Amino acid sequence: MDAGQFNSSKSEKPGVIEIENGELDGSTTGLTTHERQCFRSFVEQCRDRGLLERLIGLSPDDALDGLNDEITLLRFLRARSFDVSGALRQFKEAHTIRSSVNAAEAYNSIEIADFEHSRTIYPHWSGHRTKTGLPICTLDAVNLDGPNFSNYHKCTPSQTTCRAIMSLDYLTRFVLPLCSTMTDRPNPHMPVSSAVCLVDITYVSLRQAWNARGYAHSVTGLLATCYPEVVDKIYLLNAPPSFSRIWAFIKGWIDPKTAAKLVVVQSADILPTLLETIDIESIPERYGGKSTAQNGKIPPVDSLRGLLGCDELPDGPIKWTVDQGGRTAVAVGTRGGEARKELLGPNSIKAAL
């Protein structure tokens, strides 16, 4: 599925969740009466503990996507099967982790070169979507070794956590809201809140797995704690014959909730497996598809001019701002120490919240 079109009609709200006094519109989300009651209680308890206050580092017009908006809160609640106390504990833990690295401010101030390097070692959007409209992220595990990975080992634990959050926030703060505006998908009134990851493990070895054990533990733990339900499925592609032995060696470092979403695919089965959920135009050429998007590079997005009024995405982090009922994409980060705040194009889309 390509980038599609967004619906700017004021009579329809693609990707919208309506909320009033802490209660979601059940007709929009499909929640049961009990689940709506749980959501209301969860929102009230988060508000009472100050977890819904605007985070330090956010501008007054910054959208709250992926931070403490309704869609994010609902993901935490669903991850805990609507156990309000469990969801509250996890959301507090995620809030503590994000606050410890000043994540909201860091997203605005990260060096663009550092952000771009992170595209090679963390899953990033390919510019494509599945048949149901979920963004497809890619990662080549060969980058988790050698000179390209050496900078990761030079960073402090706080720095690695911060850079991982920056990469994942690009997905939750920019990509998922963008995909939610695209109406060429089933149930276009529902927000897009998760993604699919394609991870190539052709050259994974026991030595590489050992060297990347800290990375695997950190990233999967961060996904499970701070980004619950964001990953719909992770396809491990081109699994070598020795992978069963490698998996037995590394599975203890992988968060169990993330591990449950892994699908190991042998080379001969990749194309038929991916075709079940992804159009051939959106499958990388290396797997028999037609996509020429390169892993670790800025994604090409079809119909971007129709979506945002620009021809290509810039490098570095992007976020949404909200003003008078409209959303505008803004490129941020710093280059050579100079802060950037650039509008992507003249188009704005109807605000999702």
Side-chain angles (χ1 to χ4, degrees):
M1 179 177 287
D2 62 19
Q5 300 292 327
F6 71 94
N7 189 331
S8 59
S9 169
K10 294 185 177 181
S11 64
E12 297 183 24
K13 300 179 181 180
V16 171
I17 282 187
E18 299 290 352
I19 184 169
E20 184 176 355
N21 299 322
E23 183 172 1
L24 288 168
D25 181 351
S27 64
T28 300
T29 65
L31 298 181
T32 65
T33 299
H34 170 69
E35 289 168 344
R36 292 173 65 186
Q37 291 172 344
C38 289
F39 182 82
R40 187 188 308 117
S41 175
F42 182 42
V43 169
E44 290 173 352
Q45 293 189 46
C46 286
R47 183 179 292 118
D48 290 343
R49 289 161 175 78
L51 298 175
L52 301 187
E53 295 177 1
R54 182 166 288 271
L55 301 173
I56 295 174
L58 291 183
S59 301
D61 58 351
D62 280 351
L64 299 178
D65 307 305
L67 301 173
N68 53 17
D69 65 314
E70 292 79 12
I71 297 173
T72 300
L73 295 179
L74 187 57
R75 285 197 287 100
F76 276 83
L77 198 54
R78 279 180 166 147
R80 291 289 179 167
S81 301
F82 288 85
D83 172 13
V84 175
S85 60
L88 183 62
R89 285 193 301 272
Q90 182 171 344
F91 191 62
K92 287 173 64 177
E93 182 180 359
H95 185 275
T96 298
I97 292 172
R98 298 183 63 89
S99 297
S100 71
V101 296
N102 299 316
E105 172 58 32
Y107 195 80
N108 289 328
S109 60
I110 186 173
E111 269 290 336
I112 293 171
D114 290 336
F115 183 89
E116 288 305 309
H117 177 264
S118 296
R119 286 189 197 270
T120 64
I121 63 173
Y122 297 109
H124 263 276
W125 188 35
S126 65
H128 295 295
R129 296 174 295 145
T130 66
K131 294 177 181 178
T132 57
L134 306 187
I136 301 169
C137 299
T138 61
L139 173 68
D140 193 335
V142 73
N143 292 321
L144 306 181
D145 196 13
N148 191 61
F149 199 50
S150 61
N151 287 339
Y152 176 87
H153 291 293
K154 294 177 182 177
C155 294
T156 66
S158 177
Q159 288 173 325
T160 57
T161 296
C162 186
R163 291 190 183 183
I165 289 176
M166 298 304 94
S167 293
L168 294 169
D169 271 8
Y170 185 85
L171 175 64
T172 57
R173 294 188 63 182
F174 172 64
V175 175
L176 292 179
L178 177 65
C179 292
S180 291
T181 70
M182 301 174 186
T183 57
D184 58 335
R185 57 187 173 93
N187 303 313
H189 62 287
M190 297 290 288
V192 176
S193 60
S194 61
V196 167
C197 294
L198 308 183
V199 181
D200 193 282
I201 58 172
T202 303
Y203 301 107
V204 168
S205 64
L206 279 173
R207 180 193 59 80
Q208 183 188 19
W210 173 257
N211 290 337
R213 64 192 185 281
Y215 166 91
H217 178 74
S218 173
V219 173
T220 62
L222 198 62
L223 279 171
T225 302
C226 298
Y227 301 89
E229 302 297 296
V230 165
V231 174
D232 179 71
K233 196 170 293 184
I234 301 174
Y235 292 95
L236 301 181
L237 306 176
N238 276 330
S242 60
F243 185 73
S244 58
R245 188 160 58 99
I246 296 173
W247 176 246
F249 181 64
I250 67 173
K251 64 181 179 181
W253 308 325
I254 308 296
D255 182 89
K257 293 180 180 178
T258 304
K261 299 181 179 182
L262 299 178
V263 179
V264 180
V265 187
Q266 302 293 332
S267 177
D269 300 323
I270 292 178
L271 187 58
T273 298
L274 295 183
L275 281 172
E276 292 176 5
T277 55
I278 305 173
D279 291 327
I280 195 164
E281 290 78 12
S282 299
I283 296 175
E285 285 184 332
R286 66 191 298 182
Y287 306 127
K290 297 182 179 180
S291 170
T292 58
Q294 298 181 48
N295 178 69
K297 303 295 183 181
I298 300 171
V301 182
D302 292 338
S303 304
L304 193 60
R305 173 156 293 280
L307 290 166
L308 298 177
C310 57
D311 293 320
E312 60 184 16
L313 296 177
D315 54 356
I318 306 172
K319 65 180 182 181
W320 293 98
T321 59
V322 181
D323 180 51
Q324 298 181 348
R327 282 173 164 257
T328 303
V330 181
V332 292
T334 59
R335 199 187 306 275
E338 184 174 346
R340 175 183 71 168
K341 188 174 183 181
E342 301 173 355
L343 302 185
L344 264 63
N347 292 359
S348 64
I349 61 176
K350 189 170 179 60
L353 298 178

